[in-house]
Amino acid sequence: MVVATGTAGAAETAGTVVAADYFESYSVVGLLAVIGVLFVAVAFGAGRLLRPVVPTPEKLMTYECGVDPVGEGWAHTQVRYYVYAFLYVIFAVDSIFLFPWATVFAAPGYGAATLVEMFIFLGFLAVGLLYAYKKGVLTWT
């Protein structure tokens, strides 16, 4: 039996304790993830076992917004709507970053650096908006 003495043994023991605490916190997260997956699996399994299965022609028919389907199942969609949605997402993300920026900007000692970082971020967004404008994406036809 070897007994560790001195600072090396104490550091090794402290390192083992820190590693144990580190992995213990991850084990809690892992346990919660397993419980969540089991909860969803049990709910889906119970739904499958308890639901009535009575297929009828009405139930097997394609359903869309309460209107009986008429015509082909293929419809053309204008791509410009996706572009507008994408531009909206870009500026929604911009607004999400503005609120924490305003909080940090108000803190003492962060004013100038935070202001420069925010203008760089807004510059990237402005370049993206300018690119969309030059490509004619923002013109409504």
Side-chain angles (χ1 to χ4, degrees), residues 1-14:
M1 177 175 181
V2 177
V3 176
T5 58
T7 58
E12 185 177 311
T13 305

Side-chain angles (χ1 to χ4, degrees), residues 76-86 137:
H76 296 284
T77 305
Q78 296 287 336
V79 72
R80 67 175 175 236
Y81 298 121
Y82 294 114
V83 173
Y84 288 121
F86 185 65
V137 172

Side-chain angles (χ1 to χ4, degrees), residues 41 49 54 61 76 87 90 94 104 107 114-115 123 126 131-132:
L49 291 174
V54 184
M61 185 171 58
H76 296 284
L87 287 173
I90 289 172
D94 174 37
V104 171
T114 308
L115 186 65
Y131 176 77

Side-chain angles (χ1 to χ4, degrees), residues 4-72:
T5 58
T7 58
E12 185 177 311
T13 305
T16 306
V17 170
V18 169
D21 288 343
Y22 179 77
F23 288 117
E24 183 178 314
S25 63
Y26 274 111
S27 65
V28 171
V29 171
L31 179 66
L32 285 174
V34 168
I35 289 172
V37 168
L38 285 175
F39 182 74
V40 170
V42 167
F44 275 112
R48 180 172 276 250
L49 291 174
L50 296 175
R51 72 176 179 220
V53 180
V54 184
T56 61
E58 289 82 17
K59 287 183 180 179
L60 298 176
M61 185 171 58
T62 304
Y63 178 80
E64 184 176 344
C65 301
V67 179
D68 290 334
V70 177
E72 297 180 14

Side-chain angles (χ1 to χ4, degrees), residues 96-107 114 118:
I96 289 171
F97 282 120
L98 284 175
F99 290 110
W101 169 77
T103 307
V104 171
F105 183 69
T114 308
M118 197 59 206

